[in-house]
Amino acid sequence: MSLQAEARSTAESASAAIALHIDAAFDAVFSPSAPSVRLGESVLRLRPKHANGVREVRVRWSLHGAADAPLVIVQGGISADRRVAASGGEAGWWDDIVGEGRAIDLRCRRVLSIDWLAQADLGDALAVDSDDQADAIAGVLDVLGVRRAHAYVGASYGAMVGLAFAARHAHRLDRLVAIAGAHRAHPLSIAVRNIQREVVRLAARHGDVAAGLDLARRLAMTTYRGEREFAERCADVPRHVDGRFRFAEEGWLGAAGARFAQRFDADRFLSLSESIDLHAVAPEAVRASTTLVGIASDRVVPLADLCELQRRCGSAAALHVIDSRYGHDAFLKEPAQIGALLHEALEP
Amino acid sequence: MSLQAEARSTAESASAAIALHIDAAFDAVFSPSAPSVRLGESVLRLRPKHANGVREVRVRWSLHGAADAPLVIVQGGISADRRVAASGGEAGWWDDIVGEGRAIDLRCRRVLSIDWLAQADLGDALAVDSDDQADAIAGVLDVLGVRRAHAYVGASYGAMVGLAFAARHAHRLDRLVAIAGAHRAHPLSIAVRNIQREVVRLAARHGDVAAGLDLARRLAMTTYRGEREFAERCADVPRHVDGRFRFAEEGWLGAAGARFAQRFDADRFLSLSESIDLHAVAPEAVRASTTLVGIASDRVVPLADLCELQRRCGSAAALHVIDSRYGHDAFLKEPAQIGALLHEALEP
């Protein structure tokens, strides 16, 4: 069951970057068995970093959890969406962390999340920036009449946007938890993502975009996961099939690549991948109470960058390092460790 | 100036895997200013690992240095060739290590090297194996009438083939130096090379093979070099050119990719890349006096694999670890460190 509603913002945003256009439609799912969610779309007036002037931008958002509870913004990687937690029979991408009785407990928290903006959402902007995503989230807070969020919890690209949010909208946030994301992308990771995008462009030039997305995702997977996991999962010897040898690695990553190519749009992938590489926040500008979480085996975000971020942070930031066989994806694969840290970081 | 000669082997190889077909042509360059080299081609009868029975295989080899000095076999990565040292005005790929007065001193050493066999050289074989390369080298020793080599020095794929040589032709070798190569490829590296090959195949399907080789090489470069080098080389902020942002990483790797696409054949690349991934030697079978060299920042060959190789080696093997900003490519980029280790390992 769903119902429509309309929201009006009560005030213009305090941020110069955001003027608010009022046009939000809410869908809400209320069912006795399923947790509730409100899904909304708002057209905001934003000033994209890589464009001149104001653009009207449609932002899709969700609200999970207790209606009047302290609000926590939750954002994941570039392939995550606003369906953070399960609702209406559909799984959320972070159900292990966000839910009733979970580390971000929907019985006493309200969770806001947006679908990432892609470049195409910004009209003629040259790119979409983590700053733009942060401004969009601030704009949705305005729509909801929320002056200040209890916390922002972001992982991967979501952590980058969290740092941008804390730097640009300091007065809207009490606490920031940034997991496996830093103030800038590492040059080696930029190089690998650049190749991912070039593979998609090569395939697109020849009308074979799905094959390009597939390979780009396989390549991304080699950076998301840990060395140890590869060693453990890929013990099988290669077999000669259909004219060439097939390796265990190919089977595993090929399946992941094919799934991604089916569900993800190439232009969206290109613009969000580039957005990671354009991300740049001055750590000194981050003044919320900040918890940084690094993963020792992370091949995308080296610990050294999180140490630099902590050292330069505008507030005293705590840096926690978790051990995992899963590399960067530990934010998805180690809910016990991540949950314990979040529980501590979000306590009143 | 060059001259032709012909070599006849004096005896059939002791190895069951090699029967020798006598058909070697020598070219020799003698000039007062340039060091001498003898280039030869021999047709050998080999039993490829991934074929049934014997194939006649043409092997191209070189001999640098003092004519009657102790022989050292030197082999590099898959993109290296038999031009190990400078001759006739042409640079060698390892001039910093192999030359008069260098760590492998051509005044008192004779250096043998072969061009790697590709799958196409083996007729209908399903793949070319590191075992096949090792057998080809043993066959050339037969052609040259060399019963036993003083040493084998190999780096990267050359180290893998060295281990195969030591395991299959134990009686032909006193010492083995294996730099940045182990008894098997690491599954994470296999995954990344598999993607490189798939990119080349994708491009080839669309008649755009140079673009595929270019991207495959860029991707390989992200694994050959160290995190620190990327951080140091790529400090420039991205610039918007021709409709999209260009990153410093793209300029550097793009140039390397384009050079590689110009000089390297796609089928050769595919078969040698696969050969790395098929490589498998039982460390227990390696009984030469063995020196292993690892690079702490190597992202292709993890130190843990060299530790396992050392632990399981059939002889007491020494493992040296060198520190470098260059990752896997330290075997090319750190001649002082590599040279010192070689000097020690090759002393009579």
Side-chain angles (χ1 to χ4, degrees), chain A residues 11-15 18 20 71 73 134-135 137-152 165-166 168-175 288:
Chain A
E12 288 289 295
S13 164
S15 160
I18 298 176
L20 207 53
L71 187 135
I73 303 155
D135 290 354
I137 292 169
V140 175
L141 287 185
D142 290 341
V143 170
L144 299 173
V146 175
R147 205 181 57 78
R148 191 174 176 94
H150 175 62
Y152 179 117
F165 184 90
R168 296 171 69 78
H169 305 282
H171 57 289
R172 314 292 300 259
L173 190 65
D174 286 335
R175 305 172 190 199

Side-chain angles (χ1 to χ4, degrees), chain A residues 161-200:
Chain A
V161 171
L163 290 159
F165 184 90
R168 296 171 69 78
H169 305 282
H171 57 289
R172 314 292 300 259
L173 190 65
D174 286 335
R175 305 172 190 199
L176 170 66
V177 182
I179 305 167
H183 52 296
R184 61 155 179 87
H186 190 279
L188 179 51
S189 299
I190 291 176
V192 176
R193 272 187 300 269
N194 193 283
I195 294 164
Q196 292 170 34
R197 297 195 292 275
E198 285 299 303
V199 170
V200 171

